[in-house]
Amino acid sequence: MKTSIATLATLIAFTGGVWAAGNHSGGHGEAGMMAIGKPGKRADASRTVTITMMERDDGGMMFEPASLGVAAGETLRLKFVNKGELDHEFVMDVHEGIMEHKALMERFPEMEHDDPNSIRLAPGATGEIVWTFAKAGDFGFACLIPGHYDSGMKGDINVRH
């Protein structure tokens, strides 16, 4: 069953769990807007960036590329390829939101997502997210399957004016 972070936060709140912000810090406000932006339209994408998910021979895990530079207001088509032997996911958010989400994934490792800023892929699978980066700032992305972030599977997004 796919569960959004906001739905899981509500469940935790009603069952006695601690959740300081009420939902992930990216927050959804006006028309699905998060601090990092909102889902975009494929026709508005100015470019496509392919992001590869994989394990390294030394046991580490990575995204390639591990950083993205984006202009505020730009819409990107993010194409994903899982070239690894394990499931991987991509979640983008403010850094605090990523760390909150990481803690939730450690508590609920079987949790699947249904959030527009994330995707989970089986080995060999492909997928995409079309996203409009509405505001300038420093954001991040990560694979939050337990152990993957700590094995190096994280990156930075710099959205400039």
Side-chain angles (χ1 to χ4, degrees):
M1 179 172 101
K2 291 188 177 189
T3 304
S4 73
I5 296 299
T7 301
L8 187 57
T10 303
L11 176 64
I12 291 170
F14 284 115
T15 59
V18 176
W19 188 265
N23 70 17
H24 59 92
S25 40
H28 298 279
E30 165 192 336
M33 179 74 79
M34 298 175 63
I36 193 169
K38 63 182 181 178
K41 296 178 184 167
R42 195 173 196 194
D44 295 337
S46 61
R47 60 189 166 117
T48 298
V49 177
T50 299
I51 299 174
T52 303
M53 310 162 150
M54 66 187 125
E55 303 90 42
R56 297 188 317 249
D57 291 339
D58 67 1
M61 298 182 189
M62 62 185 284
F63 289 105
E64 180 61 45
S67 65
L68 298 174
V70 184
E74 185 175 11
T75 299
L76 292 184
R77 178 178 174 224
L78 302 172
K79 286 182 57 175
F80 300 93
V81 179
N82 183 350
K83 289 190 177 178
E85 297 179 14
L86 302 171
D87 280 9
H88 291 296
E89 68 177 16
F90 174 95
V91 178
M92 60 183 165
D93 202 347
V94 295
H95 292 289
E96 297 82 11
I98 288 173
M99 298 317 311
E100 288 175 8
H101 189 148
K102 180 179 182 286
L104 274 175
M105 288 292 292
E106 289 166 354
R107 283 184 66 190
F108 304 98
E110 299 302 316
M111 180 176 68
E112 293 184 28
H113 313 315
D114 190 20
D115 295 306
N117 61 316
S118 67
I119 190 168
R120 184 172 180 147
L121 297 174
T126 62
E128 74 175 40
I129 294 173
V130 178
W131 197 260
T132 300
F133 295 87
K135 301 176 187 175
D138 292 320
F139 303 97
F141 59 88
C143 179
L144 299 174
I145 295 171
H148 293 211
Y149 179 95
D150 298 322
S151 294
M153 208 159 184
K154 55 191 166 193
D156 296 304
I157 303 171
N158 176 263
V159 182
R160 62 199 178 283
H161 292 285

